[in-house]
C-alpha cells in the first residue's frame, strides 16, 4: 500500500462526501503470533463498533501495521481504510462513521452522551494502562509473551533492539498517566474499581444504556473480552474481571450476537 496515501491529511468534509465502502479494511498486527494485549483490545473495540453499526469491513493483518498507521508509531492501532482515506484510533473512526450518517448513540440525549463519553474515557484509560502494565512491567509476561510476540517479525539482533525500544516507550506512557510507580496490586485495584463502576452502570440491562448498544459497549467489550480470553503466564487481570459475573455475561452476549451468531444457547 502506498505509504503516502496512508499519511495524507483529510478534512471532515472530504471524508463525509464519500460513502462507506464495501471493501473497507481494518489494519492490525498479525493476531495469532504478533499482536499485544492493548493493541488487541483496541482492535476488538473497533471491530465490535463496526459490527454494531452493521458496516461491512475486512481485516488486513500486516507485520508493520503500527508503522503504516497515519500517525506512525505514536498512533494507536487499529486504523481503517475507507475508500481513499485512512483514519486511526477509536474516536476518530467513530467520527468518520458518524460523518456518513451512522450513529449508535444518536438516540441518547446530550446529558447521556456526555455521560457516555466520560465512561469511555475511564474504560480506555484504566484498561489500556493495565494491559500495558501487565505486558511490559510484569517480568514473567514480558519475557514469555511480550518480547517473543513483539519481536517475531524482526530478524536477530534487530528484534532485541525493537523490544527494548518498545518497552521504553510503553513505560514512558505509563509514567505520563501516573502509573509508573504502581505495583501489580495497585493495578489490580484500579481494574477492580473500574469494573465495580461498570457493574453499577450496567445494572440488569443488556447494554449500558438499555436494550441498544452504544460506543461504550463496544469499547468495554473490546477490553474485557481481550483480557478474559488472552492466556498469560500471569492471569491476574482476567481473574479479577471474572469476579464480576454481570460483566462476563455482557461479554458473552456481545460475542455471541455480533461475532458468533451461530453459537447455540
Amino acid at each position: 500500500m502506498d505509504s503516502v496515501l496512508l499519511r495524507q491529511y483529510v478534512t471532515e468534509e472530504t471524508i463525509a462526501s464519500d460513502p462507506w465502502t464495501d471493501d473497507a479494511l481494518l489494519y492490525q498486527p498479525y493476531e495469532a503470533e504478533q499482536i499485544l494485549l492493548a493493541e488487541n483490545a483496541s482492535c476488538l473495540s473497533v471491530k465490535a463498533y463496526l459490527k454494531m453499526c452493521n458496516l461491512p469491513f475486512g481485516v488486513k493483518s500486516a507485520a508493520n501495521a503500527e508503522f503504516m498507521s497515519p500517525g506512525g508509531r505514536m498512533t494507536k492501532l487499529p486504523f481503517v481504510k475507507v475508500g481513499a482515506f485512512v483514519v486511526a484510533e477509536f474516536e476518530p473512526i467513530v467520527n468518520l462513521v458518524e460523518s456518513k450518517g451512522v450513529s449508535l448513540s444518536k438516540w441518547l440525549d446530550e446529558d447521556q452522551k456526555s455521560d457516555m463519553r466520560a465512561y469511555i474515557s475511564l474504560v480506555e484509560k484504566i484498561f489500556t494502562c493495565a494491559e500495558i502494565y501487565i505486558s511490559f512491567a510484569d517480568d514473567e509476561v514480558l519475557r514469555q509473551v511480550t518480547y517473543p510476540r513483539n519481536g517475531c517479525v524482526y530478524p536477530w539482533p534487530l528484534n532485541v533492539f525493537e523490544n527494548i525500544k518498545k518497552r521504553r516507550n510503553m513505560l514512558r506512557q505509563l509514567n505520563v498517566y501516573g502509573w509508573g510507580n504502581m505495583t501489580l496490586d495497585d493495578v489490580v485495584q484500579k481494574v477492580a474499581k473500574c469494573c465495580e463502576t461498570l457493574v453499577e452502570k450496567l445494572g440488569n440491562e443488556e447494554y449500558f444504556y438499555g436494550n441498544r448498544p452504544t460506543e461504550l459497549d463496544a469499547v468495554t467489550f473490546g477490553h474485557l473480552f481481550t483480557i478474559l480470553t488472552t492466556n498469560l503466564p500471569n492471569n491476574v487481570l482476567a481473574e479479577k474481571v471474572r469476579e464480576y459475573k454481570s460483566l462476563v455475561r455482557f461479554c458473552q452476549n456481545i460475542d455471541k450476537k455480533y461475532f458468533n451468531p451461530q453459537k447455540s444457547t
Side-chain angles (χ1 to χ4, degrees):
M1 180 176 294
D2 190 340
S3 61
V4 175
L5 172 62
L6 289 176
R7 288 170 173 80
Q8 73 179 104
Y9 291 97
V10 295
T11 64
E12 290 185 9
E13 294 79 8
T14 305
I15 294 175
S17 65
D18 291 331
W20 186 272
T21 59
D22 290 340
D23 61 349
L25 285 176
L26 180 148
Y27 282 78
Q28 65 172 45
Y30 287 110
E31 195 164 299
E33 61 267 53
Q34 182 189 15
I35 198 168
L36 301 179
L37 191 63
E39 296 168 347
N40 199 5
S42 296
C43 292
L44 185 57
S45 295
V46 173
K47 292 174 188 175
Y49 170 73
L50 295 177
K51 285 178 177 289
M52 289 172 179
C53 291
N54 198 30
L55 292 172
F57 68 96
V59 176
K60 177 71 173 180
S61 296
N64 61 338
E66 67 175 320
F67 300 103
M68 295 168 65
S69 179
R73 180 179 288 274
M74 298 305 293
T75 298
K76 294 180 181 178
L77 293 165
F79 62 90
V80 295
K81 180 178 183 294
V82 184
F85 306 114
V86 175
V87 179
E89 301 187 50
F90 186 83
E91 185 176 354
I93 291 171
V94 170
N95 292 338
L96 166 68
V97 171
E98 291 186 344
S99 75
K100 299 180 183 301
V102 179
S103 174
L104 287 180
S105 55
K106 62 183 177 182
W107 53 279
L108 298 179
D109 62 35
E110 290 306 313
D111 287 341
Q112 289 175 315
K113 288 179 181 178
S114 178
D115 179 72
M116 181 190 68
R117 287 191 290 269
Y119 275 102
I120 290 174
S121 178
L122 174 69
V123 167
E124 288 197 314
K125 177 182 177 182
I126 296 299
F127 288 120
T128 299
C129 285
E131 291 151 5
I132 292 173
Y133 186 98
I134 199 71
S135 297
F136 291 93
D138 183 274
D139 187 67
E140 193 175 16
V141 177
L142 179 71
R143 302 298 173 183
Q144 295 186 34
V145 178
T146 305
Y147 276 174
R149 292 182 71 85
N150 184 71
C152 72
V153 296
Y154 304 105
W156 186 89
L158 180 59
N159 61 341
V160 176
F161 294 112
E162 287 297 329
N163 280 339
I164 293 172
K165 185 188 300 183
K166 181 84 169 184
R167 183 170 188 258
R168 185 187 302 122
N169 289 337
M170 293 298 99
L171 294 181
R172 185 179 299 120
Q173 184 172 331
L174 290 178
N175 279 324
V176 168
Y177 285 103
W179 287 55
N181 295 320
M182 285 189 183
T183 66
L184 183 55
D185 286 342
D186 294 331
V187 171
V188 172
Q189 285 305 307
K190 286 275 192 182
V191 168
K193 289 180 180 178
C194 188
C195 285
E196 290 165 6
T197 300
L198 291 171
V199 166
E200 183 177 354
K201 177 65 178 173
L202 183 62
N204 296 318
E205 301 288 349
E206 182 179 4
Y207 303 109
F208 287 107
Y209 289 90
N211 60 0
R212 299 167 67 177
T214 65
E215 292 85 351
L216 175 59
D217 298 283
V219 168
T220 302
F221 169 78
H223 286 281
L224 292 183
F225 192 81
T226 299
I227 290 172
L228 287 168
T229 58
T230 302
N231 187 27
L232 299 175
N234 185 345
N235 263 330
V236 62
L237 296 184
E239 291 167 2
K240 177 54 63 176
V241 172
R242 288 193 188 101
E243 294 179 11
Y244 301 91
K245 303 304 182 185
S246 63
L247 295 181
V248 174
R249 287 193 297 272
F250 165 84
C251 289
Q252 291 170 338
N253 290 339
I254 291 180
D255 177 49
K256 178 182 176 182
K257 183 170 183 178
Y258 294 100
F259 291 86
N260 293 287
Q262 74 282 4
K263 279 186 177 180
S264 62
T265 56

